Amino acid sequence: VDVRATFCCKYSSYGLEITSTGTTSIEKASGESVKLDCQFTLASEDSGPLDIEWSLQPSDNQKEEIVVILYSGDRAYEHYYPPLNGRVHFNSADPKSGDASINLLRVEAKDTGTYQCKVKKAPGIRSRKILLTVMVRPSKPRCSIEGSAQVGSEVMLKCKSTDGTSPLQYIWEKTNGNKLLPASAVLDPVGGTISIRNATEAVSGMYRCTAKNRVGTDECVLEVNITPSPNTAGVIAGSVICVLLILLLIALLLFCCCRAQHRKKYEKEISYEIREDVPPPKSRVSTARSFTSVGSQRSSLGSMSPSNLHEYSKPQYDKIPADEYERPPSHAPLPLSHAPSRMAASNLSRMGAVPVMIPAQNRDGSIV
């Protein structure tokens, strides 16, 4: 169906005519208002009641048209179509004066369609169709940069609107410096990207991206800063040095721990050796020393007969006095070599004394 032409349901010899000659295809942005024009003239022959009907034509021919607004019997009926309740009105308070135009307020994308104005006044009938396309303005685009922003690398500037009626077009421009895009830049106006190969510091600057369609535009700004490439060799050398320092520190810590452990073990062994060199405390007086002391005391008495000496010559280890057994080491009797001699050797021989062998002793006083 050619919606850019004026359609008439019926031609007759009577005087009813639709006189609007404006465009039959209108594009509007969502949120705007639009006037659908439908002017008409009457003749004296048109004597019947005046009826004006606006309807939304179905996209499928099998469906019926939907009445949007109606004027009949000198009264307007504006609540036929719920989606347009409160948003559709006749342009004139008195449509029978020849103005059947309507106004749609705050149009939405779902209001897109073909609207038909039909004027009836018996016996004449005339109609006109208008195609309304409601488009959505581009939403504010989001600008971003992809890739390493370093000298010699490839960077891509991106611009994308999440909402907006197609077709959308993206335009990039540089806003500072010489305001010229780099010579190596490759633009994609549909995808909203700009690729820059082998970037240099001259690429740095402010860039603006404008997203547009037939009903509106919006834009975003992006700052690009291309920096010199880092010294890769220096970074590697620094990393190696850091690793070596960490390993050296770990080795030093292990060495200190092992040295401390070895020193502790050495001190422990020295402590044990010192304890082994200290003689144990003497718990009792040697039996041999007690016997020698007793013999000395008894030999110092007066005259002794051989029979008595024979009796004393026998070792009496089992007759040690209790006080000498428990005598502390500090009060032990001195050996014969250090004891004061009260009687000369000649006197002892004259008295018939018999020499006695003293058993050998260990350091702790025990008999070998």
Side-chain angles (χ1 to χ4, degrees):
V1 178
D2 184 4
V3 296
R4 298 179 182 273
T6 302
F7 291 87
C8 293
C9 295
K10 181 180 180 181
Y11 290 95
S12 65
S13 60
Y14 299 100
L16 176 60
E17 294 290 342
I18 292 180
T19 59
S20 296
T21 59
T23 179
T24 58
S25 180
I26 301 174
E27 290 181 351
K28 283 291 182 179
S30 61
E32 293 182 344
S33 297
V34 61
K35 177 185 177 182
L36 305 183
D37 191 51
C38 185
Q39 305 289 333
F40 67 92
T41 59
L42 297 173
S44 58
E45 293 86 359
D46 300 322
S47 57
L50 178 64
D51 291 328
I52 302 173
E53 178 186 283
W54 279 90
S55 61
L56 181 60
Q57 302 298 297
S59 57
D60 187 353
N61 292 330
Q62 301 298 323
K63 296 181 180 179
E64 295 182 357
E65 59 186 28
I66 302 171
V67 177
V68 173
I69 190 171
L70 178 66
Y71 179 86
S72 179
D74 297 334
R75 181 180 175 184
Y77 299 89
E78 300 177 348
H79 304 288
Y80 269 86
Y81 186 47
L84 286 175
N85 279 348
R87 295 193 297 121
V88 58
H89 307 283
F90 279 104
N91 185 60
S92 174
D94 185 15
K96 66 179 180 289
S97 63
D99 186 7
S101 305
I102 60 173
N103 295 317
L104 298 181
L105 309 178
R106 303 181 304 278
V107 292
E108 303 172 2
K110 63 183 179 181
D111 297 336
T112 298
T114 301
Y115 292 81
Q116 177 179 262
C117 171
K118 185 186 292 185
V119 180
K120 296 185 292 182
K121 189 171 176 64
I125 299 177
R126 294 290 186 269
S127 66
R128 183 172 190 257
K129 290 182 180 179
I130 300 175
L131 175 62
L132 174 65
T133 303
V134 180
M135 304 182 70
V136 178
R137 293 187 182 89
S139 61
K140 186 173 183 61
R142 180 178 179 271
C143 291
S144 61
I145 183 170
E146 185 178 281
S148 176
Q150 296 177 353
V151 173
S153 62
E154 180 179 353
V155 296
M156 178 179 289
L157 310 184
K158 291 186 172 183
C159 178
K160 189 67 176 176
S161 290
T162 58
D163 198 8
T165 302
S166 299
L168 286 176
Q169 185 179 12
Y170 298 93
I171 301 173
W172 280 97
E173 57 184 334
K174 193 174 182 182
T175 60
N176 65 341
N178 56 14
K179 297 186 178 181
L180 295 177
L181 293 177
S184 60
V186 179
L187 295 173
D188 181 3
V190 177
T193 62
I194 174 173
S195 298
I196 304 174
R197 298 177 181 273
N198 194 20
T200 63
E201 293 186 11
V203 173
S204 301
M206 301 297 296
Y207 290 78
R208 179 172 58 217
C209 171
T210 302
K212 62 182 296 185
N213 61 11
R214 291 197 296 267
V215 294
T217 63
D218 211 334
E219 62 185 32
C220 62
V221 176
L222 177 66
E223 182 179 4
V224 178
N225 186 21
I226 304 298
T227 59
S229 301
N231 186 355
T232 307
V235 172
I236 295 175
S239 301
V240 172
I241 292 174
C242 289
V243 172
L244 292 177
L245 288 176
I246 292 174
L247 293 177
L248 182 61
L249 181 61
I250 294 174
L252 183 61
L253 290 174
L254 291 175
F255 174 76
C256 292
C257 291
C258 293
R259 184 179 179 86
Q261 207 171 27
H262 180 72
R263 186 171 184 178
K264 186 175 181 181
K265 184 177 179 181
Y266 176 76
E267 291 177 352
K268 202 173 195 180
E269 291 177 354
I270 292 296
S271 174
Y272 288 156
E273 289 178 3
I274 293 174
R275 291 181 182 178
E276 289 176 359
D277 291 342
V278 175
K282 297 179 181 180
S283 60
R284 63 185 179 85
V285 182
S286 169
T287 304
R289 290 183 180 180
S290 299
F291 173 75
T292 305
S293 176
V294 171
S296 300
Q297 290 177 2
R298 292 191 178 184
S299 62
S300 63
L301 299 177
S303 60
M304 295 183 181
S305 63
S307 61
N308 290 335
L309 290 174
H310 175 74
E311 181 180 350
Y312 282 104
S313 65
K314 297 177 181 180
Q316 299 180 6
Y317 298 110
D318 57 344
K319 296 182 181 181
I320 299 173
D323 58 343
E324 290 189 9
Y325 182 83
E326 297 178 357
R327 185 182 303 162
S330 59
H331 297 85
L334 295 172
L336 290 175
S337 60
H338 298 283
S341 178
R342 297 183 181 181
M343 191 174 294
S346 58
N347 293 335
L348 290 175
S349 299
R350 205 179 303 121
M351 293 172 61
V354 179
V356 179
M357 179 181 294
I358 299 174
Q361 306 174 23
N362 284 333
R363 294 178 60 182
D364 59 354
S366 58
I367 299 174
V368 178

